[in-house]
Amino acid sequence: MIHPTPRLRFAPSPTGPLHLGGARTAMYNWALARALGGTFVLRIEDTDRARSTDESLQVILEGLSWLGIDWDEGPSFDAGDRSNGGGDFGPYFQMQRLDRYEQAAKKLLAAGHAYRCYCTPERMEAVRAEQKANKSSFLGYDGRCRDLTDVQRAEFEEQGLTSNVRFRMPEERVIKVNDLIRGDVEVNTKQLDDWVMVRAGGVPLYNFACVIDDVDMKITHVVRGEEHFLNGIKQNLVFEALGHECPQYAHIPLILNQKGGKLSKRDPGVKSTLEYRDLGYPPEAVFNYISLLGWGFSADRDVFTRDEMVAAFKIGGVGKSGAKFDVDKLHWMCGEYIRKWSTDDCLARSQQWLEAALPEGALAGHQGWLRNVVACYQERVTVLSEFPDKVQWLLADPELDEPALKAIKKRPDCKTWFAGFADLLETLPMAVSFPGDRGDADDAVRLPTLEDAPEPESSFATPAALERAARAWAEQQEIKFGHFVGPVRAALTGTNKGPGFFDVVFLLGKEACVRRLRKHAVQ
Ligand code: GLU
């Protein structure tokens, strides 16, 4: 009987990182469990002993946790090794369940659903080569050991041959499955060979171990990648042979590249989840974006919270065709999230990247300045690791790039403007400056920020007040403001891009502005 409460699982093999495709599979299982009020199990399929590592396990657990995909039963996250956390149906590591597989294999052998196969790897190689040479329509095991007599088996054993256990597939039977995404599908078993369930030595292979675990862990729904669809047919028959009902399957479509082709190794879609973390992608944006790879929230909304996703998620709403991984959309979404944060939240999340860009200790006592920088760039970054590059111009006097040199060349009078504007700035009581310009770290008084309301007319401590003074000065000098901004920005930032002109002056501070302007006034 199917367990009354929905129980879903994600069953990664710890043989590499958690790619976004795996994260999506985990998420859909998790979301369905949460939406149905069920249980989400994390099971570790570590029977590939040569390739399974604790390091990959850790990366998978960290990746899921970073995305906020929590599990009710499964490994203990804190232990960092193969220890089990909570749950009554463990252990949740396949290599700790070998006795269960042995029992089940014995049962299937005794009932004739499985048999011992003594074929050597060399023989299997030869069979494959022959099938290929004959352009055979059937590729796979040729069934030599399918009907061995007891005497023949004893002979092989006497020769010291070891045996795999193979599952006996019905020779020609149409299996009907109802997939929650693909609908009713029929597969004829004649295209599937007798597959190895347990290798000599007792380690089970995926299709077999997976079924024993799904039975023991009382799994009711299985959501996984469509590459497992045919495995589902094989597993279906193992459930039947063991006398258990099969869980409901939902095979989700592949993730494709932007052009609709297969993902290659260099595609952003194959990056590990933790690479996104380490590049400063907001996890809630990555979560939101991944959830849309094959599923839609609503016709007119793509940005939603985790809770909204769970409330709206229906497995039947996942499409049948491949989902295109669109890195531009992911970046757009990151920007959407970053802009929603409060400045303080953005500051807290960006601090590590900003600190990395500055000499050690440079920020001590300069949180106000840093907050201004963050407030200005919050609109302009898509991932937080862009901060160091974006703020470089503030930290050291830059060389002028081509567009900056052009902007200066275009206005032959600009060198006198630099000097005049520097004179003006020197007269202004500017409150903010770059930390490097201050001899001490004594700005305990909170500095004004870009978000603050305009200051009274007499104060020049905000970009708005600065703008009023600069415009008045330019008018008096009969300099067209539109002409003035380009070369002055070039002298201050070394380029022609970046934040608004007055934000530039404001963030750079009086000393650095005057120094850079005077330098270019004489060059
Ligand atoms: N260990 C398998 C994988 O990582 C699990 C497939 C399944 O969910 O049944 O692909």
Side-chain angles (χ1 to χ4, degrees), residues 9-13 25 43 45 206 210 214 222-224 227-228 235:
R9 52 46 166 204
F10 176 53
S13 305
T25 303
R43 176 172 82 225
E45 304 205 326
Y206 159 66
C210 171
D214 285 344
V222 171
V223 181
R224 63 187 170 197
E227 68 277 16
H228 287 295
Q235 293 173 15

Side-chain angles (χ1 to χ4, degrees), residues 168-195:
R168 188 189 300 276
M169 291 291 279
E171 265 166 76
E172 207 175 322
R173 187 174 138 195
V174 175
I175 308 289
K176 292 185 185 162
V177 288
N178 176 265
D179 189 279
L180 294 175
I181 294 171
R182 299 165 62 120
D184 291 328
V185 187
E186 292 186 355
V187 177
N188 193 318
T189 56
K190 73 176 175 202
Q191 43 177 297
L192 301 169
D193 66 349
D194 290 350
W195 44 277

Side-chain angles (χ1 to χ4, degrees), residues 366-383:
H366 293 290
Q367 280 303 104
W369 178 79
L370 199 59
R371 193 173 185 281
N372 290 339
V373 172
V374 167
C376 174
Y377 277 99
Q378 192 168 356
E379 293 286 327
R380 294 180 167 81
V381 293
T382 40
V383 297

Side-chain angles (χ1 to χ4, degrees), residues 44 53 66 99 519:
I44 305 299
T53 64
W66 181 67
D99 52 337
K519 179 174 153 198

